[in-house]
Amino acid sequence: MNVIEISETGGVDVLRYVEHPIPTLTGPQDILVKLGAAGVNPVDTKIRQNGTLLPDGLPAVLGCDGAGVVETVGEAVTRFKPGDEVWFCFGGIGGPVGTYAQYLVLDNHLAQPRPQRISMVEAAAAPLVLLTAWEALHDRARIREGQRVLVHAGAGGVGHVAIQLARAAGARVCTTVSSPEKTDFAHALGAEYCINYQEEDLVESVMQWSEGQGVDIALDTVGPEVFRQSIPAMAYYGDLVTILDPGKDLDLKEARVRNLRISLELMLTPMLRDPPGARVRQGEILRRCAELIERGDLRIHVSETFPLARAADAHQLIEQGHMTGKLALTMV
């Protein structure tokens, strides 16, 4: 089978299109999946540049999420049979297991049936961003009906699903965007109010929209400066969640006065540390997201696809920034 592998860190030139043996089942609960597509995420480019998240993880096959067809199952597997279509988030943080590959072996409990309302490519691009947004909004911020929610970068990978998940939870949503086209896109997803951060003041805009109250939840998907800018836009006793390192030398005086609850979200924790119940919880999240998709309440926007051999082009596009939705690699 063909895979995209790195054996050193660096630019896109370290991505190598190489051949590996098709993996075999190693345990009775395993399934072998023939991948149809894989999602491409910013974390993939960071691992390529900075190194794997697991010790001694090189050489490594990149890619954390994907979708495909079950080829063979272990003797103890009862959830799936050959021919079933699945989606999942597994691998890609170090070592030989990742979704930038034509085949992958994983424990069957880490996979879920693929929602049929969306394509194989859309399903492959979805798990990492869905898990991130769901955990941020539901598990960290404890979102409730009627709350006001600020989603930063609402046209991006995490942002565009976060808008929809917040709306599905009964919240009102405002978001930041960078262009009229992205404003239209975010409104179509359910955002009530869009702020062009290049032209408008964030805090003034949020306060105008929220009638001077601030937002109950803010989701930072951008980084330290946006995290800091969000603090004075928060309602008292609100939840500020970031999916990135908030940076050093943070002045949290205003956050403390507002009695904010600050949360850090990293959906890779189950792969990094395997805390009890975490993998099961993420499987349940994907199952619930599939229900929303099948009802038509959640969609995945894939702006562009590339064949596996052109993974470098996808990485370059992500590194240019200002992405709308997701990118995916196809295996055919």
Side-chain angles (χ1 to χ4, degrees):
M1 68 169 181
N2 293 316
V3 306
I4 295 292
E5 179 183 76
I6 61 169
S7 56
E8 59 182 323
T9 59
V12 296
D13 57 305
V14 304
L15 296 169
R16 299 187 303 132
Y17 185 65
V18 298
E19 190 169 333
H20 280 196
I22 294 176
T24 56
L25 305 183
T26 58
Q29 297 284 357
D30 285 348
I31 56 175
L32 172 67
V33 177
K34 182 178 182 180
L35 284 149
V40 183
N41 296 288
V43 68
D44 304 342
T45 68
K46 293 173 183 176
I47 289 172
R48 190 206 75 228
Q49 293 171 335
N50 303 318
T52 63
L53 302 180
L54 298 177
D56 302 320
L58 293 176
V61 176
L62 297 180
C64 297
D65 50 10
V69 179
V70 176
E71 287 270 303
T72 57
V73 302
E75 58 187 22
V77 175
T78 58
R79 299 177 65 237
F80 299 112
K81 63 184 184 302
D84 288 346
E85 296 183 347
V86 295
W87 64 335
F88 52 87
C89 185
F90 177 65
I93 61 173
V97 178
T99 57
Y100 288 15
Q102 292 176 313
Y103 291 87
L104 181 145
V105 167
L106 73 160
D107 186 302
N108 79 97
H109 295 98
L110 304 180
Q112 291 292 321
R114 177 177 82 79
Q116 295 300 301
R117 192 180 179 111
I118 58 176
S119 68
M120 182 74 77
V121 169
E122 291 166 333
L128 185 143
V129 294
L130 286 176
L131 292 170
T132 298
W134 184 287
E135 289 182 357
L137 294 172
H138 286 276
D139 298 351
R140 306 284 85 75
R142 303 163 177 86
I143 191 170
R144 301 189 306 277
E145 185 177 359
Q147 288 186 309
R148 293 185 177 95
V149 178
L150 167 62
V151 174
H152 282 288
V158 173
H160 91 286
V161 296
I163 289 172
Q164 297 173 81
L165 291 177
R167 291 290 296 121
R172 299 172 59 191
V173 182
C174 72
T175 189
T176 58
V177 294
S178 60
S179 69
E181 294 77 17
K182 289 183 178 180
T183 294
D184 293 342
F185 177 65
H187 279 313
L189 296 173
E192 181 179 316
Y193 187 74
C194 292
I195 303 165
N196 187 326
Y197 64 86
Q198 295 181 333
E199 301 175 354
E200 302 171 78
D201 182 86
L202 173 68
V203 177
E204 288 181 5
S205 298
V206 167
M207 289 303 172
Q208 178 181 343
W209 175 67
S210 64
E211 301 175 329
Q213 300 301 304
V215 292
D216 303 295
I217 297 171
L219 174 56
D220 164 36
T221 66
V222 182
E225 184 58 31
V226 167
F227 178 89
R228 287 190 287 269
Q229 291 173 357
S230 301
I231 292 172
M234 299 292 303
Y236 290 90
Y237 305 100
D239 281 275
L240 175 54
V241 186
T242 181
I243 67 172
L244 298 163
D245 185 336
K248 300 178 181 178
D249 304 321
L250 276 177
D251 182 358
L252 296 177
K253 183 181 297 183
E254 182 64 20
R256 186 168 183 264
V257 170
R258 290 174 182 268
N259 241 307
L260 300 185
R261 182 164 49 194
I262 294 174
S263 300
L264 308 177
E265 164 58 29
L266 179 66
M267 60 73 52
L268 296 175
T269 296
M271 283 195 282
L272 291 169
R273 300 289 177 85
D274 198 20
R279 293 181 186 268
V280 173
R281 169 63 179 161
Q282 289 194 336
E284 173 64 12
I285 291 170
L286 286 184
R287 186 191 67 78
R288 294 180 69 177
C289 286
E291 291 179 350
L292 291 174
I293 290 169
E294 301 292 20
R295 290 206 306 262
D297 292 333
L298 176 61
R299 63 186 176 95
I300 309 300
H301 179 77
V302 177
S303 60
E304 196 165 350
T305 62
F306 299 86
L308 181 63
R310 291 180 56 200
D313 293 337
H315 277 226
Q316 287 179 324
L317 195 54
I318 281 185
E319 290 172 338
Q320 291 171 11
H322 305 291
M323 282 291 306
T324 297
K326 289 294 304 292
L327 298 179
L329 302 175
T330 57
M331 304 305 157
V332 294

